[in-house]
């Protein structure tokens, strides 16, 4: 389960990524975005969606990491901490959010999987094997009203999570259960935001072997 990632590219890089989708004028609603070197569950992070209606085009918004939990997981609980990773898209819980209006891109520059070491579980970092790494997780997002933290009380906000799949050759030796679904090209990212589910579902596959670098536990190659 991927519960830690980083986005160290600046806001202009996100605008350029959204513009490369060629889906209309980009609407940047991020404000002044800082460097995000460690994003954990429930963190506020940028997502790229697709506005429809009178002013269609890619939108850059902040959302909190963690989709609504299934009802069975909330039995006896008053707080919904959210689901960060989405695997079983055949579940009725997730099917409601598979249509294009709920899909989003989650930009990142590196992600970590926690692996067991002699010192306990430690985050092992991976990144796209490129000179200028910036890619996107295939995400889902929705508006949600509920309680994420008791001290915060009930809130209404946009939440997101991203899909996972079988791991590729770089991830599997360290985390054999899953890896995030990663989209590296504008064509893939555009298809994720716009295509029917029958076509978009084909993007739920591991990255080809050799496309990721293993950065190590300190996040350095």
């Amino acid at each position: 389960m991927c519960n830690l990632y980083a986005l160290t590219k600046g806001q202009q890089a996100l605008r350029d990524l959204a513009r490369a989708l060629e889906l209309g004028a980009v609407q940047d609603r991020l404000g002044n975005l800082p460097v995000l070197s460690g994003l954990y569950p429930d963190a506020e992070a940028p997502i790229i969606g697709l506005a429809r209606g009178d002013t269609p085009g890619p939108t850059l918004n902040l959302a909190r990491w963690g989709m609504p939990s299934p009802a069975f997981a909330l039995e006896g609980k008053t707080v919904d901490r959210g689901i960060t990773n989405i695997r079983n898209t055949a579940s009725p819980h997730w099917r409601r959010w598979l249509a294009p209006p709920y899909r989003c891109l989650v930009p990142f520059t590196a992600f970590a999987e926690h692996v067991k070491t002699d010192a306990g579980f430690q985050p092992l970092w991976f990144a796209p094997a490129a000179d200028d790494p910036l890619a996107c997780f295939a995400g889902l997002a929705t508006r949600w009203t509920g309680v994420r933290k008791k001290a915060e009380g009930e809130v209404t906000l946009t939440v997101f999570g991203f899909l996972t799949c079988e791991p590729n050759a770089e991830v599997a030796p360290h985390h054999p259960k899953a890896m995030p679904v990663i989209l590296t090209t504008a064509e893939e990212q555009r298809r994720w935001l716009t295509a029917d589910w029958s076509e978009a579902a084909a993007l739920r596959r591991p990255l080809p072997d050799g496309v990721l670098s293993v950065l190590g536990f300190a996040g350095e190659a």
Side-chain angles (χ1 to χ4, degrees), residues 15 30 47 74 81 92 95 135 149 159 178 186 191 196 199-200:
R15 296 188 194 107
L30 295 177
I47 62 171
L74 296 175
R81 299 192 182 280
R95 284 203 302 263
K149 302 175 182 177
V159 294
R191 192 172 5 140
D196 290 339
E199 181 180 352

Side-chain angles (χ1 to χ4, degrees), residues 111-193:
F111 70 94
E113 298 286 5
H114 283 76
V115 302
K116 191 173 184 179
T117 71
D118 292 339
F121 282 91
Q122 300 290 329
L124 180 64
W125 288 88
F126 303 84
D131 294 334
D132 192 26
L134 177 61
C136 295
F137 302 127
L140 303 177
T142 190
R143 291 292 288 175
W144 173 78
T145 298
V147 178
R148 185 60 54 88
K149 302 175 182 177
K150 285 186 179 180
E152 185 180 46
E154 186 174 272
V155 292
T156 298
L157 42 80
T158 299
V159 294
F160 74 93
F162 48 75
L163 276 63
T164 62
C165 60
E166 297 298 317
N168 70 354
E170 284 74 51
V171 177
H174 312 285
H175 194 267
K177 291 185 178 180
M179 68 175 290
V181 174
I182 296 172
L183 310 175
T184 60
T185 69
E187 189 279 329
E188 291 174 341
Q189 295 158 5
R190 183 166 50 246
R191 192 172 5 140
W192 179 251
L193 291 179

Side-chain angles (χ1 to χ4, degrees), residues 12-13 57 60 73 98 138:
Q12 185 58 51
L60 303 177
L98 296 180

